Structures are given as C-alpha cells and as structure tokens.
C-alpha cells in the first residue's frame, strides 16, 4: 500500500514499538545466512556491517544472541562489523557497555556510524571500545569549498587516529571530495 518505505520512516517507529528487537535479530540472521552461502560458494568474504539499535544493545543477553546466531551459521567474527550510532550515549550505558565488551571479547568489531550528528560526548568515545569512526556525510557535502569544514574534518580524523580508530568518510560523491579527504588523512571512504 505504501510502496517503498525508507529506514528514516520505519526505524523510529520500530524502536518506539519494540519491534526493532525482532527486526534486528531477523536482519542479523539473514546477513549470517547469506555470508554462509557466499563462503560455501567459494567467494572471498569481506566484513558486512550491520546497524544495531540502542534498544538492541540495552537488552541483557544481546551479545550472547549475536554470538549464537553467528555460531549457528558458522560465521567468523571477522565477517561481521556492528555499527552503532551516537544515540547509544542516551541509553542504559551499563548494559550497553557490558554488551559491547562481550561482543569485543568474541572478536566482533564495533563502528560508530554517522559521527558528529548525535548525542555523543567526546569523553564517551573510549567506553564504547570502538574500532572505526565513520564521519557523517553532512561534513563531506561542502568540504571542498569550506575551509572551516576542512579544519573540522581534519580535527575529527586526527582525534580518531590518536585513539587508534580507523576513519571512514561517508557520502563521498565527487573526486574533489575524495582528493580533499585524502589530503586530510582520511583512510577510507564510502
């Protein structure tokens, strides 16, 4: 009836109603099953990123559920990367941090997606034991024409590198943006 419904429309509703827990589990199962099929077909596997909701991370036993799904599909931890957003800072930090620590013990990498657009304070970056910081696309759009934006992005990159985090710039659409990011020291782009 509605046609294509974009994530910006249904994710907040799924989180509000609690359906995000079932959706998130289903997505993780689908990803793991697909990786298993690709591996059995002989394809080279690159890590697949799966977005994780604050509501999922607030669930005691979330890390065990992730490990169980991966184990049942014979998935190596290096094949999955979980992406969180800065909104994790607004959740139950004790449970969230416990789940992240358990995920990390199991060898799963954690990325902070859309960095710079949410609630996170810089002081909380270390408690989430991140492996990667993804600079939000809002910083990239006018990067070439704005010296202030370049300085801001350069600062984010320097901070991330000093914390030994890989850096990914999101939303690169032009060669000029790509070249500017390379000059600023960004390691990866999408």
């Amino acid at each position: 009836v509605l046609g294509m419904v974009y994530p910006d429309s249904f994710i907040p509703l799924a989180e509000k109603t609690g359906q995000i827990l079932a959706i998130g589990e289903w997505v993780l199962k689908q990803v793991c099953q697909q990786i298993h099929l690709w591996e059995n077909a002989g394809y080279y596997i690159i890590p697949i990123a799966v977005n994780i909701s604050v509501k999922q991370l607030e669930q005691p036993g979330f890390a065990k559920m992730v490990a169980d799904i991966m184990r049942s599909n014979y998935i190596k931890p290096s094949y999955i990367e979980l992406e969180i957003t800065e909104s994790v800072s607004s959740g139950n930090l004790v449970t969230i941090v416990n789940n992240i620590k358990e995920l990390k013990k199991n060898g799963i990498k954690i990325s902070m997606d859309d960095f710079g657009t949410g609630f996170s304070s810089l002081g909380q970056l270390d408690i989430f034991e991140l492996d990667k910081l993804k600079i939000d696309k809002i910083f990239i759009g006018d990067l070439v024409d704005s010296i202030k934006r370049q300085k801001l992005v350069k600062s984010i990159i320097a901070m991330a590198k000093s914390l030994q985090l890989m850096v990914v710039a999101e939303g690169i659409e032009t060669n000029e943006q790509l070249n500017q990011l390379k000059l600023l020291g960004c390691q990866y782009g999408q």
Side-chain angles (χ1 to χ4, degrees):
V1 172
L2 297 176
M4 179 70 78
V5 179
Y6 292 96
D8 293 351
S9 298
F10 76 82
I11 295 292
L13 182 60
E15 287 181 331
K16 190 175 184 179
T17 62
Q19 290 299 310
I20 195 68
L21 301 176
I23 293 170
E25 185 175 348
W26 178 84
V27 167
L28 189 60
K29 285 179 180 177
Q30 294 300 308
V31 168
C32 288
Q33 288 170 4
Q34 186 61 58
I35 290 171
H36 184 72
L37 290 172
W38 286 333
E39 190 172 39
N40 283 344
Y43 294 115
Y44 175 77
I45 306 298
I46 61 170
I48 304 294
V50 178
N51 290 20
I52 300 299
S53 162
V54 144
K55 299 292 184 195
Q56 291 171 276
L57 279 170
E58 288 180 321
Q59 298 300 305
F62 173 73
K64 182 185 180 322
M65 184 262 302
V66 171
D68 289 346
I69 290 171
M70 291 176 67
R71 202 172 4 264
S72 69
N73 286 282
Y74 309 100
I75 301 301
K76 297 174 187 171
S78 61
Y79 291 171
I80 295 283
E81 179 179 293
L82 299 182
E83 290 190 355
I84 61 176
T85 63
E86 292 178 338
S87 62
V88 296
S89 300
S90 65
N92 176 343
L93 285 180
V94 172
T95 306
I96 289 170
V97 168
N98 286 339
N99 272 319
I100 289 175
K101 285 181 185 288
E102 193 63 33
L103 290 164
K104 298 287 292 178
K105 276 188 211 170
N106 287 319
I108 297 169
K109 301 243 185 267
I110 307 291
S111 294
M112 174 76 70
D113 197 17
D114 303 331
F115 182 76
T117 61
F119 307 97
S120 186
S121 75
L122 295 178
Q124 291 180 331
L125 282 178
D126 61 337
I127 68 170
F128 296 125
E129 298 187 32
L130 300 174
D131 298 289
K132 186 183 291 182
L133 192 68
K134 298 180 82 176
I135 302 171
D136 191 78
K137 63 185 174 190
I138 65 165
F139 296 103
I140 308 306
D142 62 350
L143 181 70
V144 174
D145 300 321
S146 171
I147 299 298
K148 280 189 174 182
R149 192 55 58 112
Q150 291 171 20
K151 289 180 180 181
L152 181 59
V153 169
K154 185 176 182 175
S155 296
I156 293 170
I157 292 168
M159 177 200 60
K161 285 184 175 181
S162 72
L163 295 171
Q164 299 177 340
L165 302 176
M166 288 177 43
V167 183
V168 178
E170 299 179 302
I172 301 171
E173 296 180 354
T174 68
N175 283 331
E176 291 81 13
Q177 290 169 338
L178 176 64
N179 291 332
Q180 186 64 55
L181 286 160
K182 285 179 181 179
L183 286 174
L184 296 174
C186 190
Q187 298 161 306
Y188 298 94
Q190 75 179 57

